[in-house]
Amino acid sequence: MAIFDLLKLSFLVSLLSESNSVSSINGGGVAVFPPTCERIECPSYDVIHGGDGFEIRRYNSTMWVSTQPIDDISLVDAGRIAFFQLYDYIQGKNDNHQKMEMTAPVITEVKPSDGPFCASSFVVSFYIPKANQATAPSAEGLHLQKWGVTYVAVRQFSGFVMDDDVGKEVSALYESIAGTVWSDAIDKSHADEAATQYIVAQYNSPFEFKNRVNEIWLTFNWEDGLAI
Ligand SMILES: *[C@@H]1O[C@H](CO)[C@@H](O)[C@H](O)[C@H]1NC(C)=O
């Protein structure tokens, strides 16, 4: 009871302080180091370029545990379905009964779906802590993904992720990149219509109401050594 009161209170406070959002601090776009990453492990990255409303990052290598593709019209609903599967995994519901620390971000890869109407296909993933990567167990219904060096164009936004806002944030990211040296590489990497269109990265649990940081990621290929 007391906890629920506390949650309600912090929710109200967060409504009152809505203007104190990440995007208004930064005038829309990028970028703060996600505060969550000062408390829990996040994949490390190098900022290759800080642009107007976007940031280019390089992740050297990352490992993720991922759901099967979830066909849904709502990224938010798909995320809810996935969160508990992934949470069970780090709580030890995996083939080695191995527990892991909570990490951030939770990422959702968005692809077009063959399904009806406006459904998309969502694959939701947790970042595997470095300490567990060498021995990461499998689990029923989940699979592991190992990414090599990955370049990402990033746009940050705050608050709770709403389905209606995601498309706008993706468009805004494309607009801010237009005409830069990154634009062609990003277009080329997203030319295949069956490929991942974009990724939504979320850094906060559903129970945190303040300082929420989310990101749109466009991953792309970039030859190391190309002039930046
Ligand atoms: C990524 O790899 C490069 C080249 O080996 C290295 O210089 C850089 O420090 C690494 N970055 C991170 C975040 O580990």
Side-chain angles (χ1 to χ4, degrees), residues 4-14:
F4 278 109
D5 285 344
L6 204 64
L7 282 177
K8 261 191 284 182
L9 183 66
S10 69
F11 181 60
L12 289 173
V13 169
S14 77

Side-chain angles (χ1 to χ4, degrees), residues 16 19 27 47 58 97 104 117 139 151-152 168 207 209 218 221:
L16 292 173
S19 61
V47 176
R58 183 185 59 217
H97 305 289
F117 309 113
Y151 288 84
V152 191
K168 288 179 216 158
F207 309 109
F209 296 95
L218 298 172
N221 298 317

Side-chain angles (χ1 to χ4, degrees), residues 44-46 58 60:
S44 57
Y45 59 83
D46 294 301
R58 183 185 59 217
N60 279 343

Side-chain angles (χ1 to χ4, degrees), residues 48-225:
I48 300 300
H49 177 83
D52 184 6
F54 69 97
E55 176 172 276
I56 304 291
R57 295 180 186 162
R58 183 185 59 217
Y59 290 88
N60 279 343
S61 107
T62 48
M63 194 166 179
W64 308 86
V65 57
S66 309
T67 65
Q68 315 271 27
I70 300 169
D71 279 347
D72 205 302
I73 55 168
S74 162
L75 178 141
V76 173
D77 286 349
R80 242 176 241 142
I81 295 167
F83 184 85
F84 293 102
Q85 278 183 50
L86 295 168
Y87 189 73
D88 284 349
Y89 176 89
I90 62 168
Q91 289 298 310
K93 203 171 154 195
N94 55 56
D95 293 350
N96 294 351
H97 305 289
Q98 190 180 345
K99 282 196 183 188
M100 293 174 207
E101 296 292 333
M102 185 75 188
T103 61
V106 174
I107 61 168
T108 306
E109 294 168 80
V110 183
K111 290 184 191 186
S113 154
D114 303 334
F117 309 113
C118 302
S120 292
S121 164
F122 302 104
V123 172
V124 186
S125 307
F126 261 13
Y127 171 67
I128 305 257
K130 276 212 174 78
N132 301 106
Q133 289 183 4
T135 58
S138 45
E140 205 187 323
L142 299 176
H143 62 278
L144 297 164
Q145 295 192 58
K146 189 156 175 54
W147 292 8
V149 174
T150 303
Y151 288 84
V152 191
V154 178
R155 176 183 173 81
Q156 276 185 347
F157 59 106
S158 63
F160 282 89
V161 172
M162 305 285 178
D163 286 309
D164 285 349
D165 296 336
V166 170
K168 288 179 216 158
E169 299 292 344
V170 173
S171 304
L173 177 52
Y174 269 107
E175 269 167 42
S176 66
I177 292 165
T180 68
V181 292
W182 314 102
S183 184
D184 283 349
I186 288 167
D187 287 347
K188 236 178 253 165
S189 298
H190 293 84
D192 177 358
E193 284 180 8
T196 298
Q197 295 173 310
Y198 56 87
I199 293 172
V200 179
Q202 302 184 65
Y203 287 84
N204 303 91
S205 85
F207 309 109
E208 291 171 83
F209 296 95
K210 295 197 72 178
N211 298 323
R212 297 183 62 85
V213 172
N214 318 294
E215 295 170 343
I216 303 293
W217 289 7
L218 298 172
T219 57
F220 62 100
N221 298 317
W222 186 260
E223 275 178 55
D224 277 309

